[in-house]
Amino acid sequence: ASAAADVELVLGEEENYVIDTNCELTRRGGDYVITSEAFDGAYVAGKRVFKTPFRILARAETDSENIRLYFGQRGIVVLGWEVRPGELRIVEPVDRNQNGFPDAGFIKPNRMYDIEIHVTEEAITVTVDGEKRGEVRGNYSDAEGRIGIGPARGSVVTVEYFKGIQEQIPIP
């Protein structure tokens, strides 16, 4: 049997989000522009709670550095990290373990990227423009929470779309 999926479009044709108190969301053409002067932790989040397994899909760009995607209780993926811009950072959602992937997080300013985060019971996989950039393995069966996207350190993140896909475990 095949797996069923349930999609929530957070930013896109529909608007189904909550704005964090530390950021501002405006529209430019068909895109969403997220700004914040906060160090980090400022984002726009979906209203829905996702539970493993799920996917996050985004098409986004930054004006300088930092596209941060949030998931689960405390999970974060950072592209263009300000400390080491070439490093992809994956912060695990259950135990907050931090994982660095040298030369896997670099993003050019003012260029749209297709970003996917796939969270399963055994792994978190990050793909950018169809290329696998990093994966951590562990027990993520308890990963649960809202998903979000945002800037850090005064950067501006422009989003064409941002959505979550709640997957169902296939029935044998």
Side-chain angles (χ1 to χ4, degrees), residues 53-153:
F54 61 91
R55 292 179 190 268
I56 300 169
L57 301 174
R59 182 161 174 79
E61 70 180 26
T62 180
D63 70 330
S64 56
E65 56 189 27
N66 272 296
I67 297 176
R68 294 184 181 218
L69 297 108
Y70 298 84
F71 59 97
Q73 300 93 325
R74 300 175 290 186
I76 307 170
V77 167
V78 182
L79 295 164
W81 186 38
E82 71 280 352
V83 177
R84 287 188 215 92
E87 184 172 289
L88 168 69
R89 301 290 292 173
I90 301 176
V91 180
E92 298 177 52
V94 178
D95 61 11
R96 209 141 162 81
N97 231 4
Q98 297 197 24
N99 304 272
F101 296 86
D103 302 321
F106 182 75
I107 52 175
K108 293 180 182 176
N110 304 310
R111 178 192 178 283
M112 283 284 180
Y113 289 91
D114 292 306
I115 304 163
E116 178 178 350
I117 301 169
H118 189 200
V119 181
T120 67
E121 290 188 356
E122 305 86 28
I124 299 168
T125 307
V126 177
T127 305
V128 178
D129 287 344
E131 175 189 346
K132 182 177 168 181
R133 296 271 191 106
E135 180 176 84
V136 293
R137 301 199 64 79
N139 180 356
Y140 307 111
S141 59
D142 291 334
E144 181 177 352
R146 298 184 311 155
I147 61 172
I149 187 169
R153 298 220 174 187

